[in-house]
Amino acid sequence: MNKSFTQTFTVSGNNFSDAGKISTEIKMILKQLGINSDIVRRVAIASYESEMNVVMYACKAKIVLDVDPEVIKIIVEDEGPGIPDIELTMKEGYSTATPEMRELGFGAGMGLPNIKKNSDEFTIKSDVGKGTRLEIIVYIN
Amino acid sequence: MMPLSEICDLLSCKVFCCEELLDREIKYGCASDLMSDVLAYSRSGAVLLTGLANVQTIHTAFISEIYAVVFVRGRVPDERMIEVAITKKIPLLGTALSLYEASGILYSKGLASTMETLATVTRHE
């Protein structure tokens, strides 16, 4: 893979019927770029967990996929309530999910820890009342 | 390892789509209604046994490289789920057996678990 690639997607909060569509698209793009399947799987899982978080908790978000020959970067920037205690939400099992979210098989408090687990570098910043920004980096080699 | 066709026979499954992919070799078994657990702990090449029949099940399977989904307790996927599964080449099967029975049958036939057993159980304080 020696080309660079960038694409921006928009996700709407509370749109449960389309939840996951963008991450499946991201996965297909990465496969088409010929990236190793283990790397593609890790990026897709991190992206999907992020997308579900936007659908469940935020108003809307911009997801930017940026691929260069060495690094895959995903930035998720949402407009939403923000996270008051990031340290707490990074703990497995901590969740503020509603019954509707749980019916979809999500909201078990695994999302953010799983995004971190699948990233080589992960940063999260949040402003309460404004929104949250995630930066996910996975090295290709 | 076990061909999907053998899983289909062992669990007396109905095939909802992608019948042409029943020769797929399945490496592991994964049983959960919690998609968060599937995303966190499954490995590529597993069959997912689940009672959760919605489109997120199919998206989760595609993202996690689940090779096939078996819906338990007679759950039936709707048209939209079948459409997405065909696009993503994920065979969807259904059994009348419970999650416990279906998992037990595959485990007793030697299909390994996709999830590692925890060393200990720790209580969250």
Side-chain angles (χ1 to χ4, degrees):
Chain A
M1 222 286 299
N2 46 26
K3 284 182 194 164
S4 293
F5 181 93
T6 302
Q7 191 164 336
T8 302
F9 306 86
T10 307
V11 187
S12 304
N14 213 30
N15 182 359
F16 286 94
S17 64
D18 280 342
K21 256 186 164 178
I22 286 166
S23 300
T24 60
E25 206 178 321
I26 286 175
K27 182 171 178 181
M28 287 191 284
I29 290 169
L30 296 176
K31 277 171 99 171
Q32 278 162 11
L33 289 172
I35 292 164
N36 170 288
S37 62
D38 289 342
I39 304 275
V40 172
R41 186 173 184 271
R42 283 174 54 205
V43 175
I45 289 173
S47 164
Y48 187 43
E49 293 275 22
S50 309
E51 186 180 350
M52 289 308 295
N53 276 347
V54 171
V55 172
M56 292 193 287
Y57 298 109
C59 304
K60 63 175 178 178
K62 191 174 77 173
I63 298 182
V64 182
L65 167 69
D66 196 359
V67 187
D68 75 22
E70 276 148 29
V71 169
I72 301 166
K73 192 191 314 185
I74 290 185
I75 294 170
V76 184
E77 208 158 9
D78 76 42
E79 290 172 27
I83 302 169
D85 187 340
I86 289 176
E87 205 180 322
L88 190 59
T89 59
M90 291 305 297
K91 282 188 182 164
E92 278 190 14
Y94 176 79
S95 175
T96 55
T98 63
E100 187 188 16
M101 299 168 188
R102 292 179 197 272
E103 275 169 24
L104 295 174
F106 287 86
M110 304 291 292
L112 286 173
N114 200 24
I115 295 169
K116 190 178 179 188
K117 187 179 109 183
N118 283 288
S119 309
D120 288 317
E121 288 177 37
F122 172 67
T123 50
I124 174 166
K125 284 177 189 161
S126 192
D127 277 336
V128 173
K130 288 186 178 170
T132 302
R133 185 183 192 275
L134 308 183
E135 191 170 306
I136 296 156
I137 290 177
V138 176
Y139 297 114
I140 292 175
N141 297 310
Chain B
M1 292 272 271
M2 186 183 279
L4 184 56
S5 55
E6 191 178 336
I7 292 173
C8 187
D9 290 343
L10 285 168
L11 305 182
S12 306
C13 286
K14 178 181 167 62
V15 181
F16 299 112
C17 68
C18 305
E19 199 162 357
E20 70 283 5
L21 300 175
L22 287 183
D23 58 351
R24 210 169 245 189
E25 284 292 334
I26 304 297
K27 298 179 198 166
Y28 309 103
C30 174
S32 186
D33 288 351
L34 199 56
M35 295 303 105
S36 304
D37 263 5
V38 176
L39 286 165
Y41 303 119
S42 71
R43 282 180 275 188
S44 173
V47 61
L48 170 63
L49 310 183
T50 185
L52 189 78
N54 65 42
V55 76
Q56 256 66 48
T57 312
I58 316 300
H59 287 322
T60 302
F62 176 68
I63 295 287
S64 309
E65 281 165 24
I66 295 288
Y67 281 9
V69 177
V70 178
F71 295 104
V72 298
R73 295 191 315 276
R75 296 289 171 95
V76 175
D78 63 22
E79 283 305 313
R80 180 161 173 238
M81 291 166 65
I82 292 173
E83 254 173 54
V84 177
I86 291 170
T87 316
K88 304 287 191 273
K89 296 188 171 58
I90 301 170
L92 301 184
L93 287 71
T95 178
L97 297 168
S98 71
L99 184 58
Y100 179 73
E101 290 168 312
S103 306
I105 289 168
L106 298 186
Y107 189 76
S108 69
K109 293 287 178 186
L111 190 65
S113 172
T114 190
M115 298 188 194
E116 287 168 21
T117 306
L118 293 171
T120 55
V121 177
T122 45
R123 184 177 161 183
H124 286 283
E125 295 298 338

